[in-house]
Amino acid sequence: MGDIEAPSSTRPRQTVLSSILPSKEFVSSRKGMLLIAEVALSLVSFVCFAASTAAAFVTVPLLEFLAALFLLFAYSTKFNERFKGFLWPLMDFMRCVTASIIFFIISIIAVSKYVDGSSKAAGVFGFIATIVFALDFYLIFNELADFLKQGGASNDEPTGQQDEFSDSDSD
């Protein structure tokens, strides 16, 4: 009787855990890797700022950590596909632009004004986060520009439409 109950008791744990964690396909994608890097760098920068004398800057990494974590969850569970009313790529673009600018500013201040080691570490991780956020908004901008060049009238994937049109034009 104990053998019958054991497999069924582990299945709900696996399904709950697998529903929270991002899928392997998303994690191995470019967007997934960028979001994971943004989450990790924002968290490390938050911890460094919290332990430093530059604790006034702790809000920015915390907010960016939460925003990146939300988008990681939304994209990995396809939550964004259920809510078509939101302009998800535009929200992600604005988040990355503001994050890269603000991380750059607070990193310069943390490195130049404060002398303790954790402030310097927070500044260095902030500069790395600036690069990752800037790369993300550059890639999002290119995708949005390609989508707008195609007309942007449909709800389908822009890359799939481009392949269909280019195949029919070349015949």
Side-chain angles (χ1 to χ4, degrees):
M1 187 151 90
D3 294 337
I4 295 172
E5 292 176 8
S8 64
S9 64
T10 59
R11 284 185 185 165
R13 288 183 193 158
Q14 290 174 350
T15 58
V16 170
L17 185 61
S18 65
S19 68
I20 294 173
L21 293 176
S23 65
K24 285 186 179 184
E25 295 84 23
F26 180 73
V27 170
S28 62
S29 71
R30 180 178 65 198
K31 184 66 180 175
M33 289 186 277
L34 282 171
L35 276 171
I36 290 172
E38 291 168 3
V39 167
L41 287 168
S42 297
L43 180 64
V44 170
S45 181
F46 168 73
V47 170
C48 290
F49 273 121
S52 72
T53 57
F57 300 125
V58 77
T59 307
V60 173
L62 177 63
L63 290 177
E64 292 304 330
F65 167 74
L66 293 174
L69 190 65
F70 170 72
L71 282 176
L72 176 68
F73 173 75
Y75 284 140
S76 65
T77 59
K78 300 193 186 322
F79 182 72
N80 61 329
E81 293 176 1
R82 293 183 207 146
F83 294 98
K84 299 282 186 184
F86 294 113
L87 300 173
W88 290 93
L90 187 59
M91 288 182 354
D92 197 15
F93 176 75
M94 293 304 295
R95 177 190 63 88
C96 290
V97 169
T98 57
S100 63
I101 293 169
I102 294 173
F103 260 114
F104 185 69
I105 292 170
I106 66 170
S107 297
I108 288 175
I109 294 171
V111 169
S112 64
K113 187 176 178 183
Y114 296 95
V115 295
D116 61 323
S118 57
S119 294
K120 303 283 185 195
V124 169
F125 283 114
F127 283 128
I128 297 169
T130 299
I131 293 168
V132 171
F133 280 110
L135 176 64
D136 197 9
F137 86 71
Y138 173 75
L139 295 172
I140 294 170
F141 178 76
N142 283 340
E143 290 174 6
L144 286 174
D146 289 342
F147 179 69
L148 292 175
K149 284 180 186 175
Q150 294 175 4
S154 177
N155 289 336
D156 295 335
E157 280 293 317
T159 56
Q161 288 178 353
Q162 183 179 14
D163 292 339
E164 291 173 9
F165 291 133
S166 63
D167 290 342
S168 62
D169 292 340
S170 63
D171 291 338

